[in-house]
């Protein structure tokens, strides 16, 4: 398969203009109106307040601890805080929780993903996160697509992420920063992928991030926007959006559900720049469309 | 001398309501109007845009490197980046630079300090800082007065800080966070002051900071505000304001001039909770009023 976005190179390489559109569907294909689709195409992200009503928030937050208590020791999908045992993240939480699976099938979630990507979709990666206050460390600038392409074999930019806040996002508690419009450019990165890179990159990514000169130019070209809003707000953002987050020393923790939808027409192949694919819970390799019938209780 | 604000204790102790006013002067005593003085009294901080005009910014930023190049190796007032030799901070920069001394004597600087404190003033601590982009680490919540009282022997809350931005402060590049109104409460801290505490506390303060439960209650009571604004903006804030800052992973560095004015009627005594006072460049012990005649060239 042709590699339109070479990365993890042994030499610096010029930015590549994106080939694919960002928005593949039309306004009569789903819940988003024409203005929202235009904004998504140009900025690469879209905030949708009240995607989840207040009554969802507490039960969803509770699911994290319930899953943590129920799940077997050593399950790679459960990420616990080093010395405490409390759960920081659960990957593929919809496999543990019908409540979370229901979120995916909501009228303002799954149909939005289908509309943006102009096809049926499946879940490439999902997680629910709880980031404590006082000591949230944030994560450095990167494009998710760069990793999904290099390490998972995702061929084209036809995936979209939906991050639904379960807590209020302020400008000062480590909320996501994006460079609006940066999704139109692919920045090849220098450095070969280490074996089992995901074991370190999920803690701190150092390979697959642009150099400082590139990021400085991009920040001056695109500026920086922050994804803030009350709990229940969904942030939709393109797979190739340059994003990152700072630390959180405030007492206000952050929790979110993070869903990555990929088009069924964008099925993964062999990794473009890694020895072997990442584990299934980080990058699902079956492109079977997600459906209501995937609820545990059905 | 009576200790109205015991801290560095061996046991947790209840918050203490501030005894002194925040604003000691009247609106006809200086440049601030009645509304600004009222805001300073109630919130504990005040933003004054255009305290420095655009023409000041570049020359002042250049002073940092010039001082760094001229100053002798090993001068404790010059703080350099660990492996690079570039200058991160200069303490008492007015002793190296008439340009910086001139900033202090501006009509919208020194007279504001005198007005807020209702007396003549002297410089307790001064510095000019350059915080690089990408890797700014921020600093944790604290009240400056807690340290000045415990380690410098400052008896009363009659000091005010003026931080003048030489670069734009955005919500996302590590700008100062404050808890508005928190200056009305003194939070005693647990833990004795180690010897030469300033050698570690200026990098990362761990003694003299409130516990998490206290900070959580304070953040919910007062909320958090960020001191943002274009280069040239001055942030005036009370000595007992609870403040901190997050990391800065953006390419946008931050630089500022930081001036602490103390009332000449609030002269330092022996430290209230430390074996010996901090060095002169961190806490000047002579309460002689600052004047134009202190310019190097006069």
């Amino acid at each position: 398969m042709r590699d339109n976005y070479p990365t993890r190179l042994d030499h610096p390489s010029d930015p590549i203009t994106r080939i694919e559109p960002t928005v593949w569907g039309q306004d009569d294909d789903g819940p988003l109106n024409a203005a929202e689709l235009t904004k998504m195409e140009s900025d690469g992200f879209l905030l949708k307040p009240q995607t989840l009503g207040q009554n969802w928030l507490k039960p969803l937050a509770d699911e994290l601890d319930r899953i943590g208590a129920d799940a077997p020791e050593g399950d790679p999908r459960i990420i616990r805080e080093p010395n405490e045992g409390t759960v920081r993240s659960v990957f593929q939480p919809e496999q543990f929780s019908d409540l979370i699976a229901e979120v995916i099938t909501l009228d303002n979630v799954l149909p939005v993903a289908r509309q943006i990507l102009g096809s049926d979709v499946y879940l490439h990666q999902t997680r629910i996160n709880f980031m404590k206050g006082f000591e949230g460390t944030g994560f450095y600038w990167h494009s998710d697509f760069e990793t999904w392409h290099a390490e998972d074999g995702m061929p084209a930019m036809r995936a979209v992420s939906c991050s639904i806040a379960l807590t209020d996002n302020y400008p000062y508690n480590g909320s996501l920063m994006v460079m609006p419009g940066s999704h139109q450019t692919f920045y090849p990165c220098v450095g070969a992928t280490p074996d089992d890179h995901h074991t370190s990159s999920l803690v701190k990514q150092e390979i697959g991030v642009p150099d400082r000169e590139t990021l400085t130019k991009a920040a001056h070209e695109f500026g920086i926007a922050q994804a803030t809003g009350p709990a229940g707000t969904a942030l939709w953002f393109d797979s190739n959006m340059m994003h990152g987050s700072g630390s959180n020393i405030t007492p206000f923790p952050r929790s979110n559900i993070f869903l990555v939808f990929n088009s069924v027409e964008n099925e993964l192949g062999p990794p473009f720049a890694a020895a072997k694919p990442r584990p299934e819970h980080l990058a699902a390799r079956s492109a079977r469309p997600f459906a209501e019938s995937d609820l545990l209780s059905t």
Side-chain angles (χ1 to χ4, degrees), chain A residues 46-61:
Chain A
L46 193 65
L47 282 164
K48 292 289 286 178
Q50 295 180 295
T51 292
L52 290 182
Q54 292 299 309
N55 55 323
W56 282 85
L57 303 175
K58 176 76 168 66
L60 282 168

Side-chain angles (χ1 to χ4, degrees), chain A residues 67-205:
Chain A
I67 295 168
D70 290 357
E73 278 296 314
D75 189 317
R77 296 170 294 181
I78 316 287
I79 313 295
R80 297 176 196 270
E81 293 289 350
N83 305 307
E84 305 171 27
T86 54
V87 176
R88 188 169 61 194
S89 296
V90 174
F91 285 93
Q92 299 186 311
E94 74 284 2
Q95 297 184 355
F96 296 96
S97 162
D98 262 357
L99 195 65
I100 293 172
E102 277 176 41
V103 170
I104 297 167
T105 61
L106 286 174
D107 286 347
N108 53 3
V109 179
L110 193 52
V112 170
R114 290 186 183 127
Q115 182 182 22
I116 291 172
L117 301 180
S119 70
D120 214 333
V121 298
Y122 73 99
L123 293 164
H124 174 69
Q125 186 192 102
T126 58
R127 59 203 288 189
I128 178 169
N129 299 301
F130 179 78
M131 286 155 282
K132 291 195 295 188
F134 294 111
E135 57 187 64
T137 50
F139 53 90
Y140 196 66
W141 299 100
H142 67 285
S143 146
D144 289 331
F145 177 77
E146 196 277 345
T147 290
W148 301 340
H149 183 70
E151 302 190 26
D152 300 336
M154 184 182 286
M157 295 178 184
R158 197 173 175 180
V160 68
S161 296
C162 175
S163 173
I164 309 179
L166 303 180
T167 48
D168 294 340
N169 278 332
Y170 303 102
Y172 46 74
N173 68 337
S175 54
L176 204 75
M177 296 184 285
V178 297
M179 296 188 189
S182 62
H183 64 301
Q184 301 288 5
T185 304
F186 183 79
Y187 297 98
C189 297
V190 173
T193 310
D195 286 346
D196 293 321
H197 184 224
H198 62 277
T199 57
S200 63
S201 67
L202 290 176
V203 181
K204 185 178 180 192
Q205 185 169 357

Side-chain angles (χ1 to χ4, degrees), chain A residues 277-297:
Chain A
R278 296 192 301 169
E280 182 77 16
H281 69 278
L282 300 180
R285 303 198 69 81
S286 160
R288 190 178 60 79
F290 189 83
E292 299 239 2
S293 57
D294 286 326
L295 294 181
L296 298 176
S297 53

Side-chain angles (χ1 to χ4, degrees), chain A residues 22-54:
Chain A
T22 302
V23 173
W24 297 65
Q26 308 297 323
D27 58 345
D28 52 5
D29 291 340
L32 299 184
N33 62 35
E36 289 170 324
L37 293 175
T38 300
K39 179 171 160 41
M40 183 73 198
E41 179 69 39
S42 62
D43 290 352
F45 74 100
L46 193 65
L47 282 164
K48 292 289 286 178
Q50 295 180 295
T51 292
L52 290 182
Q54 292 299 309

